[in-house]
């Protein structure tokens, strides 16, 4: 059975079997009936005793259009405007049109649990709290140009017809939490000075917030928009929250203005999402949002971060953004995607790519709006418009395409299928510190000279940490590791060698063999420094390979060693390898019983005049040059010279081969 109200109620029409309570209208003061069931003369006397600004209490009272009109006329001033004090209409029922047009509510107006047919509150003013919690509007609810100076609550209210709040002004906190809008909800050009809370509101049809102004925080968390949600030209001066919202139709934010963060965390977008000419001075967050049929996102202009972490894109999409940061950590791309970016630092940590995803910078000009005019990017102009990728850790790189991006600080550890990564255009990596450097090692000063090559940021961090463990001053030029979460483990030489190997293969598969040379060099370097996975003998061999020719990639180094070897050969031959005289060969034989002695007549190969003469230097150089190609010089040598020549015939051709190999690796097609 229904519970009786907690006030003295009329009880007219009560039936024990079907309605034991009857009329729930509160007693009119001095009477035992509600206003609707008073006798005509008693009602007239009651109306006559009212003056503008009086408090009225008609809880649970059923009102007709004529009864409400008579009540409001009795509270009208000389200008014909109804002025009410404290109003208590809780649980009242308004049959037909409830016309409160232009009424002034000078005190609290409480309509909790009231049922309206068609309600007209146009131009009404609420100077104190306006309470419409759990109200049912079965017809059109008109609040156009109404003014709410204090709290306005429509919590749990149901709007069956159109809800019209166009040009309404909400000065205090506004609560539409859990409100249900069956027909269109129109808040066009409405002004919300304080907090506007639409959490868990349900918009079954179109929701119009175009040109609305939100001067305080706007909360649409867990709201459901089954039709189009139009926030075109809306102004959000504080944070705007749409977390866990559901957008079935199009969400239109064209030319909207966001002063603080715009949060769309865990929101679901089944239709389009449009942000044409909508700048975001701070952050816009789509973390854990779901996009089921979104063809394009943006262009977004954001001074700080666009957060797409853990978002899910189920259909092909083009994301256009000009922002300082784009976070795609754990983002799922279930179809193809193109990220057209400017100024952005991109984080793709643990992203899931089921189809090709391309990161492509747009550096030549700002994004265009729908009307063809350039987007306003003045907040980002001081920044470099290039795009930087800082992490692909944990990513399946088989579907990733990077074009003209900066990979100077990119972390590759933990990524897999790196050999299938596509690097197109000019992708830059971290360079080595060039020139000659020195530092103390084993209590002695050591000189280092690194030739310029492309390296991974993780090699920089490893070398800086490795040197710092032995010396408080890391080598100049190697970048130190920035702060990172403690759960992130820095890769060692073995892991870096594997990463370099896969990147080398990616370049080789794209027919860019010279571009793969630096990654081969990095792979060999990490193997040489790996004290756990590489045996000592192998590391010694790699050390010799590095020292002689830079792993067959440094032609100048091999040329220097070849020149040094040939110079030492020349000096050795001059010192004791060339004889000072060479006797002519003799031959003795018998002819017709007589002994015949023959002496061969050949050029004199003896060298006189001292050990350090130009003649001896020329002969020694000839021997050294011929030794490089395994040709005999025809020069008589001493036993020591023979040994020197033999050694040069073994070492110098090897060094020459290293020179040829290094040149070949740099020009190979």
């Amino acid at each position: 059975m229904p519970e009786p109200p907690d006030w003295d109620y009329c009880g007219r029409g009560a039936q024990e079997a079907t309605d034991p309570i009857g009329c729930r209208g509160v007693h009119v003061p001095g009477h035992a009936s509600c206003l609707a069931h008073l006798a005509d003369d008693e009602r007239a006397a009651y109306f006559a005793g009212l003056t503008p600004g009086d408090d009225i209490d008609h809880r649970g009272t059923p009102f007709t259009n004529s009864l409400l009109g008579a009540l409001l006329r009795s509270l009208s001033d000389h200008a014909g405007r109804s002025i009410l004090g404290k109003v208590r209409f809780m649980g009242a029922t308004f049959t037909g049109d409830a016309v409160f047009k232009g009424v002034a509510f000078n005190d609290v107006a409480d309509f909790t649990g009231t049922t309206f047919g068609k309600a007209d509150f146009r131009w009404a003013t609420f100077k104190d709290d306006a309470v419409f919690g759990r109200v049912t509007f079965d017809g059109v609810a008109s609040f156009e140009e109404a003014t709410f100076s204090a709290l306005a609550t429509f919590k749990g209210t149901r709007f069956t017809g159109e809800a019209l709040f166009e040009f309404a002004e909400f000065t205090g906190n506004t609560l539409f939490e859990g409100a249900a809008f069956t027909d269109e909800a129109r808040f066009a050009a409405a002004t919300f000075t304080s907090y506007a809370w639409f959490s868990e509101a349900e918009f079954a049809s179109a929701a119009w917030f175009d040109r609305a102004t939100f001067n305080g925080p706007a909360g649409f968390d867990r709201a459901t928009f089954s039709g189009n949600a139009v926030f075109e030209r809306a102004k959000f001066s504080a944070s705007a929250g749409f977390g866990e919202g559901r957008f079935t139709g199009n969400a239109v934010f064209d030319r909207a203005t966001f002063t603080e963060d715009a949060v769309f965390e865990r929101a679901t977008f089944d239709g389009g999402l449009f942000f044409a000419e909508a700048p975001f001075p701070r952050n816009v967050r789509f973390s854990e949002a779901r996009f089921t049929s979104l063809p394009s996102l943006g262009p977004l202009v954001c001074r700080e971060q666009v957060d797409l972490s853990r978002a899910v894109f189920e259909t092909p999409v083009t994301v256009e953004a000009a922002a300082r940061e784009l976070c795609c950590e754990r983002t799922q791309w279930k179809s193809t995607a193109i990220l057209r970016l400017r100024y952005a630092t991109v984080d793709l940590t643990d992203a899931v790519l089921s189809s090709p995803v391309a990161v492509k910078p747009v550096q030549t000009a700002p994004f265009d709006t729908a009307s063809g005019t350039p987007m306003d990017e003045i907040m980002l102009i001081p920044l470099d418009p290039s795009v930087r990728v800082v992490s692909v850790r944990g990513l399946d790189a088989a579907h990733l395409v990077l074009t003209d991006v900066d990979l100077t600080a990119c972390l590759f550890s933990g990524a897999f299928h790196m050999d299938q990564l596509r690097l197109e255009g000019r992708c830059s990596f971290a360079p080595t510190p060039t020139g000659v450097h020195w530092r103390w090692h084993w209590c002695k000063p050591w000189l280092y000279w690194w030739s310029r090559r492309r390296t991974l940021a993780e090699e920089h961090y490893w070398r800086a940490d490795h040197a710092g463990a032995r010396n408080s001053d890391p080598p100049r030029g190697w970048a130190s590791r920035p702060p990172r979460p403690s759960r992130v483990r820095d890769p060692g030489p073995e892991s870096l060698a594997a990463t370099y190997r896969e990147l080398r293969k990616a370049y080789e598969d794209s027919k860019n063999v010279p571009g793969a040379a630096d990654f081969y060099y990095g792979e060999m370097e990490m193997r040489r420094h790996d004290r756990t996975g590489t045996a000592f003998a192998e590391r010694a061999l790699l050390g010799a390979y590095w020292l002689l020719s830079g792993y067959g990639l440094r032609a100048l180094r091999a040329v220097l060693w070849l020149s040094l070897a040939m110079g030492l050969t020349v000096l050795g031959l001059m010192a004791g390898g060339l004889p000072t005289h060479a006797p002519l060969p003799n031959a003795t034989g018998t002819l017709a019983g007589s002994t015949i002695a023959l002496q061969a007549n050949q050029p004199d190969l003896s060298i006189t005049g001292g050990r350090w003469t130009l003649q001896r230097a020329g002969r020694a150089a000839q021997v050294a040059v011929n030794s490089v190609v395994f040709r005999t010089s025809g020069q008589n040598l001493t036993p020591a010279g023979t040994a020197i020549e033999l050694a040069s015939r073994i070492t110098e051709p090897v060094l020459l081969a290293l020179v040829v190999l290094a040149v070949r690796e740099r020009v190979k097609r």
Side-chain angles (χ1 to χ4, degrees):
M1 300 297 293
E3 294 291 333
D6 57 358
W7 56 76
D8 293 334
Y9 58 94
C10 177
R12 184 71 61 89
Q15 297 181 2
E16 183 176 356
T18 59
D19 185 9
I21 298 175
C23 177
R24 297 170 176 265
V26 67
H27 291 171
V28 175
H31 300 275
S33 301
C34 68
L35 182 62
H37 295 106
L38 279 179
D40 293 342
D41 56 342
E42 294 176 339
R43 186 182 303 119
Y46 171 71
F47 287 155
L50 295 177
T51 59
D54 281 351
D55 298 340
I56 57 175
D57 181 5
H58 294 291
R59 289 170 289 176
T61 302
F63 279 90
T64 61
N65 188 18
S66 59
L67 179 61
L68 176 61
L71 174 63
L72 295 179
R73 283 191 297 273
S74 67
L75 294 167
S76 299
D77 58 10
H78 63 278
R81 184 182 186 187
S82 300
I83 302 175
L84 283 64
K86 186 175 183 180
V87 176
R88 305 176 75 185
F89 280 106
M90 294 89 81
T93 302
F94 292 86
T95 304
D97 295 345
V99 181
F100 288 88
K101 183 167 58 175
V103 173
F105 297 88
N106 291 339
D107 207 325
V108 176
D110 194 343
F111 289 85
T112 302
T114 301
T115 301
F116 289 93
K118 180 179 179 181
D120 187 354
F121 285 86
R122 287 177 293 172
W123 306 299
T125 58
F126 298 86
K127 296 183 179 180
D128 208 320
D129 294 350
V131 184
F132 288 85
R134 301 190 306 279
V135 171
T136 300
F137 293 93
D138 290 328
V140 176
S142 300
F143 288 86
E144 297 106 308
E145 300 186 52
T147 301
F148 299 85
S149 300
L151 172 68
T153 175
F154 292 81
K155 187 175 181 179
T157 298
R158 181 175 296 277
F159 297 86
T160 303
E162 288 184 310
L164 307 178
F165 289 87
E166 295 172 318
F167 297 96
E169 295 184 7
F170 299 87
T171 303
N173 291 337
T174 305
L175 304 179
F176 281 86
E177 183 179 2
F181 299 85
T182 303
D183 208 326
E184 290 190 355
R186 294 184 175 271
F187 290 84
T191 301
F192 300 87
T193 303
S194 189
Y195 197 89
W197 185 249
F198 287 82
S199 175
E200 300 183 21
E202 298 181 3
F203 298 88
S205 187
W208 300 88
F209 288 86
D210 50 307
R211 295 170 287 121
T213 301
F214 298 87
N215 293 323
F220 289 84
D221 304 274
R222 297 180 298 281
T224 301
F225 297 88
S226 299
N228 292 334
V230 182
F231 290 84
E232 185 176 2
R233 298 181 184 270
K235 296 180 180 180
F236 298 88
S237 299
S239 61
F242 295 84
E244 299 184 55
R246 179 67 182 266
F247 296 84
T248 303
N250 293 326
V252 182
F253 291 85
D254 292 347
R255 293 182 292 280
T257 301
F258 295 85
T259 303
E260 298 291 336
D261 294 350
V263 182
F264 294 84
E265 294 178 345
R266 296 183 294 279
T268 301
F269 298 89
D270 295 329
L273 180 58
F274 305 96
F275 285 96
E277 301 184 57
F280 296 88
R282 293 192 60 184
N283 303 305
V284 55
R285 300 175 184 170
F286 293 95
S287 57
E288 299 186 53
R290 180 176 291 273
F291 303 91
T292 59
S293 60
L294 183 68
S296 63
L297 176 60
L300 304 174
V301 178
C302 181
R303 186 180 64 190
E304 297 296 337
Q305 184 188 69
V306 176
D307 187 1
L308 295 176
S309 58
R310 296 180 175 83
V312 180
F313 293 86
E314 298 185 355
T315 56
V317 63
T318 298
V319 178
E320 295 182 329
R324 188 185 298 267
E325 296 181 25
L326 176 64
C327 181
C328 298
E329 184 176 352
R330 297 183 182 274
T331 303
Q332 297 185 38
W333 314 89
K334 295 186 177 181
S335 188
T336 57
I338 299 177
L339 308 183
R340 302 182 70 245
L341 309 173
R342 288 170 57 81
Y343 305 101
T345 297
V346 185
D347 186 351
L348 294 169
T349 302
D350 296 323
V352 179
L353 279 60
S354 302
S355 297
V357 174
V359 179
K360 184 177 181 180
V362 180
Q363 300 179 0
T364 56
F367 293 111
D368 289 335
T369 64
S371 59
T373 59
M375 294 282 290
D376 184 8
E377 300 178 2
I378 189 171
M379 66 184 75
L380 297 169
I381 286 178
L383 302 178
D384 182 3
S386 62
V387 176
R388 296 156 298 280
V389 178
V390 295
S391 176
V392 293
R393 293 184 293 110
L395 174 73
D396 183 355
H399 297 294
L400 182 61
V401 182
L402 302 178
T403 304
D404 295 330
V405 298
D406 183 355
L407 300 172
T408 301
C410 187
L411 303 179
F412 290 88
S413 60
F416 50 99
H417 289 159
M418 290 297 298
D419 57 325
Q420 301 180 42
L421 173 66
R422 292 184 58 184
L423 299 173
E424 300 180 351
R426 185 176 181 180
C427 295
S428 58
F429 288 82
T432 56
T434 56
V436 178
H437 307 272
W438 71 277
R439 64 182 175 86
W440 287 90
H441 183 42
W442 292 339
C443 300
K444 297 179 181 179
W446 287 72
L447 292 178
Y448 290 85
W449 176 30
W450 286 284
S451 57
R452 191 172 185 85
R453 63 180 174 91
R454 290 175 293 180
T455 62
L456 299 182
E458 287 133 320
E459 181 181 348
H460 274 256
Y461 305 154
W462 177 82
R463 287 187 181 274
D465 292 344
H466 187 64
R470 300 179 302 182
N471 184 11
S472 60
D473 184 17
R476 181 164 56 91
W478 294 106
S480 299
R481 173 181 48 79
R484 86 281 189 256
S486 58
R487 61 181 177 84
V488 178
R489 181 181 178 183
D490 292 329
E494 185 176 3
S495 298
L496 289 176
T499 303
Y500 272 121
R501 187 180 307 115
E502 293 187 355
L503 287 173
R504 172 175 61 85
K505 186 176 183 300
Y507 267 81
E508 291 174 345
D509 291 345
S510 63
K511 308 303 180 183
N512 187 1
V513 177
D518 285 346
F519 299 107
Y520 174 73
Y521 193 104
E523 176 189 353
M524 294 296 102
E525 277 285 273
M526 294 300 99
R527 287 179 57 192
R528 183 167 68 90
H529 288 286
D530 183 13
R531 296 180 177 273
T532 58
T534 306
F536 175 78
E538 184 179 352
R539 285 191 286 113
L541 180 61
L542 291 174
Y545 193 21
W546 163 78
L547 184 63
L548 293 176
S549 64
Y551 310 111
L553 296 173
R554 300 295 182 259
L556 179 59
R557 190 180 306 181
V559 168
L560 291 176
W561 279 109
L562 177 60
S563 301
L564 178 61
M566 295 179 66
L568 292 176
T569 300
V570 170
L571 292 176
L573 291 174
M574 291 177 66
L578 297 176
T580 57
H581 65 278
L584 295 176
N586 295 321
T588 303
T590 303
L591 179 62
S594 300
T595 301
I596 301 175
L598 301 175
Q599 186 177 26
N601 187 13
Q602 64 179 16
D604 186 7
L605 299 180
S606 60
I607 304 174
T608 60
R611 294 181 181 274
W612 310 104
T613 63
L614 290 178
Q615 184 182 15
R616 290 178 67 86
R619 293 288 179 87
Q622 180 181 359
V623 173
V625 172
N626 287 324
S627 298
V628 175
V629 291
F630 291 97
R631 292 179 57 193
T632 179
S633 63
Q635 174 65 50
N636 291 326
L637 301 174
T638 64
T642 303
I644 293 174
E645 183 185 34
L646 180 61
S648 66
R649 287 188 178 187
I650 295 175
T651 58
E652 292 172 7
V654 173
L655 295 175
L656 178 61
L658 292 177
V659 173
V660 175
L661 176 62
V663 174
R664 175 59 174 164
E665 287 298 320
R666 290 301 182 182
V667 300
K668 187 177 181 180
R669 296 180 58 185

